[in-house]
Amino acid sequence: MTASSSIIVAKNSGFCFGVKRAADSIEAKLDCAVPGERIYTLGKLIHNDTYNSYLASRGVGVLDESEIEAVAGSANAESPVTLFIRAHGVTLGTEELLGRLSAENRHFKFIDCTCPYVRKVRAVAAGHSGEGKCFILMGNPKHPEVVGIMSCVEGEKHVFRSSDELEEALKTGMLGDMHKKTAVMAVQTTFDLSEWRKSREILKKLCTNTIIFDTICGVTEKRQSEAKSLSEQCDIMIVIGGRESANTAGLYDICKKNCPLTYLVADGRELRSILPEIKSKIPRVKTGIVAGASTPAGIIQEVLEIMSENTQTRAQTFEEMLEKSLKTLNTGEVVTGTVTSVTDAELQLDIGAKVTGVIAADQATDDPSAKLTEMFQVGDKIDAYVLKVNDTDGVATLSKRRVDSDRNWQELVKAYEDNEVLEGRVTGVNKGGVEVTINSNRIFVPASQTGVTKDKDMSELLGEAVRIRIIEIKPQRKRAIGSIRLVLRDERRAREAAFWDSLEVGMKFTGRVKNMTSYGAFVDLGVVDGMVHTTELSWKHIKSPAEVVSIGDEIEVYVKSFDRERGRISLSYKTEETEPWRVFKNRFAVGDVIKARVVSLMPFGAFAEIIDGVDGLIHISQLAITRVSRPEDVLSIGDMVDVKIVGIDEEKRNVSLSIRALLEEEARGELAARNEKDSSEADLTEEPEEAPVAPENTDTPAEAPEVAPADLSEATAPEAPVDTPEAD
Ligand code: SF4
């Protein structure tokens, strides 16, 4: 501010960043509108009639929410429509409506100029409301910004205009039992700072669980504190702004508290109307001028000139005053700024200049997936390189990465000298190779050093985190060349060495079948491959590994032997648990009757498979009850037969089977049944002289009728040897 004059203009006067952004956006549209295009704002763009009249003079209409659908429906190729959402934002419902309408009609577009500060409050409202929470917003419930924010809240919600209203609601229990829920409180961006501070204290005092979001925008905070200190020094305060403007009203209240002669004027015309009242005092006093966020610079200039005329002081232009208090910027210099706004698209910085510093996301960080809102906060101090200054737009384009890059170059050189491995992210791909960014420095990795084979696409690496070694540095051009392949190679070698160091016979692995040959299957053990010979794949004889495994199968193997020098590992897929003789012994015993499949016929008998890998011999004498001359007279290969295990030779691992034994048992059973039937029929035909008396001792069995041995002997064949010959 300028203290030497009797008129002091607050430095933070006029369009705030949010309003300027919206105004610039609409001006840009006006400059490139196609013939016939209709441009509207949803409600008045700002609370300033002079500026709104100017927009109207350029053909910008003002729409009411109820007119949206009709106007959108009338948009066509000859007369497209563009609708601007002002800095306050709109309700979620309106946002959805606009989205739907623009999707339905490509000639209708809307441009969302909601201020990033307002967006932040909306995000807080959406993300911190709902079950178990009571959302409180300090602000004017009728203000469009507040209506829009509250439309994002889920569950219980309240708006309070002042700390007194809040206190009363809490003390009278209007909000229910606040011990059982979490009170989440945020604030309208342009709310009075001291009221907000009081409200925070009240909430903390009266509620147990509180989450407080300080969402007053940085611009408002600065303006209010400047208005306070200026009004404390001045005898007269002129506040310029629209009466509907929340931030202008806030500035007026602050000034009025400290300076009773505070006047609110919308423009020069209104100032002239109060001049008679204050004119007599002007020459002797210090006058302060502050302006709301929606006051155009032209109106501030007009007010300043009227005041200067009446104080016989040279009218120092508003621009000149700002110029004096603000530093000039040059491309290429490094400035330190304070973050005033953070979105995921850009950072805005106060760099103490008349322009706003803007750092786009790609100039703030190397990591394209990083979220600026998670990395930076309002109030953070940042060093940035000035890329471009545009006085017309009031923006200085800055780069934080450039500063980081300069500072980190030396670290890169040291990493090269120390042969150190660095971590970075692939941020670009071209025909010759890829670009890796490390601490804002770009390192070129030639295609041959990417570690990507020729048949694959290098673009697969884009966005990936990689480890890299610098293999060449060109200090004059600040250029570095790196290799991913060398790091991968060294890491693979280290892993292999560790693998061999720990390898022992008997170790078990789960590996994937990678390849097969006629003699075995190669299994990927993670670091190196091992081989399972065909004889180690199955307990029975197989002709090809494909009989047991397929490429891609995940199998469990163990190490039979290895040769580190030759890099060979012999594996086995066979285990003791699956060994056929062991399986057979666990499941069967002599005397068991089982089903077996005839697999070969020999002059002395037939071999039948009991389980995979174990066959038994049915000796020719055991094939039937009657004499059999040749096994093929009674059996064929592939027949499934019921057999009885009549012998197991542990040492020779032979199993003797018998069909005859089963047939004999069957014959005995039939004979016994027949005898029993005959005896019952005899009992029924011969009347007993005396009724049989039940024996006293029930343990003594009644005498069984004798069975004629001749009946059985007729069916009995000569004894079969249990000891069967070994299979060939
Ligand atoms: S006063 Fe603050 S929140 Fe409102 S539009 Fe301006 S910068 Fe955005």
Side-chain angles (χ1 to χ4, degrees):
M1 62 191 80
T2 308
S4 58
S5 169
S6 59
I7 302 171
I8 307 171
V9 182
K11 177 180 147 191
N12 293 288
S13 292
F15 278 4
C16 63
F17 135 76
V19 169
K20 184 169 186 325
R21 187 169 165 268
D24 287 352
S25 177
I26 208 163
E27 293 276 354
K29 182 70 200 167
L30 282 167
D31 291 345
C32 66
V34 295
E37 183 168 0
R38 288 171 286 159
I39 299 170
Y40 295 95
T41 57
L42 191 50
K44 289 179 188 169
L45 188 72
I46 57 173
H47 299 298
N48 187 283
D49 289 341
T50 311
Y51 188 75
N52 291 335
S53 306
Y54 156 75
L55 286 181
S57 72
R58 292 201 65 186
V60 179
V62 178
L63 273 196
D64 184 74
E65 298 224 353
S66 61
E67 299 169 295
I68 295 174
E69 288 198 69
V71 172
S74 71
N76 54 42
E78 282 72 45
S79 181
V81 170
T82 302
L83 176 64
F84 283 83
I85 296 179
R86 56 192 173 172
H88 297 322
V90 288
T91 62
L92 270 190
T94 307
E95 257 181 14
E96 281 163 17
L97 173 69
L98 292 171
R100 179 170 62 77
L101 293 173
S102 64
E104 285 169 2
N105 181 355
R106 65 193 173 88
H107 301 296
F108 171 71
K109 289 197 181 69
F110 73 97
I111 296 177
D112 187 357
C113 294
T114 306
C115 175
Y117 281 108
V118 178
R119 284 235 159 266
K120 184 175 155 191
V121 201
R122 293 168 71 100
V124 165
H128 297 273
S129 58
E131 210 182 325
K133 293 189 180 128
C134 168
F135 187 85
I136 296 168
L137 187 77
M138 297 306 299
N140 176 353
K142 292 200 176 132
H143 194 281
E145 176 191 322
V146 172
V147 175
I149 292 167
M150 295 310 275
S151 73
C152 303
V153 179
E154 281 184 20
E156 189 182 347
K157 53 187 173 183
H158 306 275
V159 184
F160 297 106
R161 286 171 182 276
S162 65
S163 56
D164 288 345
E165 260 189 28
L166 172 71
E167 189 167 27
E168 198 191 333
L170 288 171
K171 282 190 172 162
T172 55
M174 194 185 112
L175 305 188
D177 187 353
M178 292 305 285
H179 298 295
K180 290 187 180 158
K181 48 195 171 186
T182 303
V184 179
M185 189 162 80
V187 59
Q188 186 181 350
T189 54
T190 47
F191 197 68
D192 182 272
L193 194 55
S194 62
E195 268 301 291
W196 168 237
R197 286 185 182 135
K198 270 196 243 164
S199 308
R200 281 192 316 209
E201 291 316 307
I202 289 166
L203 191 79
K204 281 192 223 161
K205 203 165 81 189
L206 298 178
C207 295
T208 326
N209 304 315
T210 60
I211 304 175
I212 297 175
F213 292 92
D214 192 347
T215 47
I216 286 192
C217 98
V219 176
T220 306
E221 204 170 323
K222 260 194 222 163
R223 259 166 223 257
Q224 290 183 359
S225 60
E226 203 179 356
K228 182 171 177 286
S229 74
L230 196 56
S231 57
E232 281 166 357
Q233 305 163 33
C234 293
D235 306 293
I236 292 177
M237 285 298 298
I238 307 289
V239 179
I240 318 169
R243 286 187 169 72
E244 298 161 52
S245 160
N247 74 82
T248 304
L251 294 176
Y252 176 78
D253 290 345
I254 291 166
C255 294
K256 188 83 180 165
K257 271 184 209 158
N258 301 311
C259 175
L261 292 177
T262 295
Y263 299 90
L264 174 62
V265 296
D267 51 24
R269 192 180 50 77
E270 278 194 16
L271 176 63
R272 285 190 198 283
S273 70
I274 60 163
L275 265 181
E277 188 188 331
I278 59 174
K279 204 166 179 180
S280 59
K281 301 172 185 123
I282 293 173
R284 305 190 303 273
V285 297
K286 213 189 232 180
T287 303
I289 295 177
V290 294
S294 5
T295 311
I299 293 181
I300 302 171
Q301 181 64 38
E302 185 191 10
V303 168
L304 186 58
E305 280 170 10
I306 295 168
M307 292 300 290
S308 303
E309 280 163 19
N310 287 279
T311 55
Q312 290 94 45
T313 309
R314 187 185 84 78
Q316 208 172 13
T317 65
F318 180 60
E319 258 69 31
E320 279 172 339
M321 287 183 164
L322 284 178
E323 204 74 45
K324 274 191 180 175
S325 63
L326 300 173
K327 64 181 174 197
T328 48
L329 277 189
N330 296 309
T331 302
E333 71 177 291
V334 173
V335 291
T336 302
T338 307
V339 177
T340 55
S341 156
V342 185
T343 67
D344 284 329
E346 65 179 28
L347 300 175
Q348 303 235 348
L349 277 77
D350 177 358
I351 47 177
K354 62 180 176 179
V355 290
T356 304
V358 175
I359 306 179
D362 66 340
Q363 289 300 326
T365 168
D366 296 340
D367 183 357
S369 62
K371 287 197 170 303
L372 297 189
T373 43
E374 288 168 9
M375 294 173 68
F376 300 96
Q377 285 186 338
V378 170
D380 285 355
K381 294 257 186 271
I382 289 180
D383 288 342
Y385 181 93
V386 181
L387 292 173
K388 196 170 74 182
V389 182
N390 188 332
D391 285 325
T392 320
D393 291 349
V395 168
T397 311
L398 309 176
S399 171
K400 177 180 181 298
R401 277 180 53 187
R402 183 76 175 261
V403 173
D404 294 343
S405 159
D406 289 347
R407 288 181 185 159
N408 296 329
W409 172 254
Q410 289 314 319
E411 286 175 24
L412 211 63
V413 173
K414 184 159 186 321
Y416 166 64
E417 288 164 358
D418 296 348
N419 207 23
E420 202 184 309
V421 173
L422 301 169
E423 293 203 352
R425 193 169 289 278
V426 177
T427 49
V429 180
N430 56 44
K431 262 202 217 151
V434 301
E435 189 179 78
V436 175
T437 305
I438 300 174
N439 293 333
S440 300
N441 280 298
R442 291 179 182 174
I443 291 117
F444 177 66
V445 179
S448 62
Q449 295 298 323
T450 55
V452 177
T453 49
K454 280 190 182 148
D455 54 323
K456 294 217 172 125
D457 189 356
M458 284 189 298
S459 60
E460 283 175 13
L461 285 178
L462 196 62
E464 292 292 308
V466 290
R467 284 181 297 284
I468 186 172
R469 178 172 297 145
I470 310 296
I471 53 174
E472 195 180 338
I473 285 269
K474 295 185 174 164
Q476 312 82 355
R477 294 169 61 198
K478 260 177 99 182
R479 193 172 143 85
I481 296 169
S483 171
I484 300 170
R485 188 179 66 84
L486 286 181
V487 177
L488 292 175
R489 187 202 61 188
D490 292 351
E491 287 176 350
R492 193 187 65 244
R493 284 181 180 170
R495 279 200 307 277
E496 282 177 7
F499 177 86
W500 286 108
D501 286 348
S502 64
L503 195 63
E504 284 174 17
V505 170
M507 274 175 90
K508 287 186 178 168
F509 290 93
T510 300
R512 197 169 291 278
V513 178
K514 202 172 155 187
N515 200 5
M516 290 199 290
T517 63
S518 58
Y519 52 86
F522 288 89
V523 179
D524 179 0
L525 302 179
V527 183
V528 291
D529 296 347
M531 207 267 284
V532 192
H533 194 269
T534 317
T535 54
E536 290 299 329
L537 276 171
S538 172
W539 287 98
K540 65 177 187 180
H541 176 71
I542 55 168
K543 288 181 184 153
S544 157
E547 290 178 39
V548 182
V549 292
S550 303
I551 289 177
D553 281 357
E554 205 166 74
I555 58 172
E556 284 219 351
V557 289
Y558 72 91
V559 178
K560 275 189 72 88
S561 63
F562 63 90
D563 183 340
R564 184 171 181 162
E565 295 307 309
R566 296 166 71 202
R568 292 196 177 160
I569 302 171
S570 298
L571 304 169
S572 180
Y573 183 48
K574 299 192 299 191
T575 62
E576 287 302 312
E577 291 76 39
T578 58
E579 197 268 312
W581 185 256
R582 181 187 274 232
V583 173
F584 167 76
K585 287 293 308 282
N586 284 341
R587 284 177 57 190
F588 304 111
V590 171
D592 286 353
V593 176
I594 57 171
K595 278 200 185 298
R597 188 169 57 87
V598 178
V599 289
S600 64
L601 299 172
M602 311 298 284
F604 51 84
F607 283 99
E609 185 185 66
I610 302 167
I611 59 167
D612 210 9
V614 177
D615 298 345
L617 173 67
I618 316 169
H619 188 263
I620 194 163
S621 63
Q622 298 297 312
L623 286 173
I625 290 178
T626 53
R627 183 177 171 73
V628 174
S629 310
R630 298 183 314 151
E632 48 269 47
D633 292 343
V634 289
L635 290 176
S636 300
I637 289 177
D639 285 354
M640 288 300 293
V641 288
D642 289 333
V643 289
K644 184 172 187 174
I645 300 174
V646 291
I648 296 173
D649 185 333
E650 275 286 350
E651 209 177 309
K652 293 181 181 167
R653 296 198 166 189
N654 282 341
V655 185
S656 300
L657 305 173
S658 173
I659 296 172
R660 180 179 134 186
L662 290 181
L663 296 173
E664 284 173 353
E665 278 169 20
E666 202 179 307
R668 273 193 218 102
E670 278 173 15
L671 187 60
R674 204 181 327 132
N675 285 342
E676 197 176 326
K677 191 178 169 212
D678 292 348
S679 140
S680 317
E681 285 170 2
D683 288 349
L684 285 172
T685 50
E686 287 173 33
E687 191 78 19
E689 284 173 9
E690 280 180 30
V693 178
E696 276 180 19
N697 184 354
T698 52
D699 288 339
T700 310
E703 213 170 312
E706 261 187 43
V707 176
D711 288 352
L712 185 60
S713 63
E714 260 180 34
T716 308
E719 196 71 24
V722 165
D723 205 358
T724 55
E726 256 184 81
D728 288 343

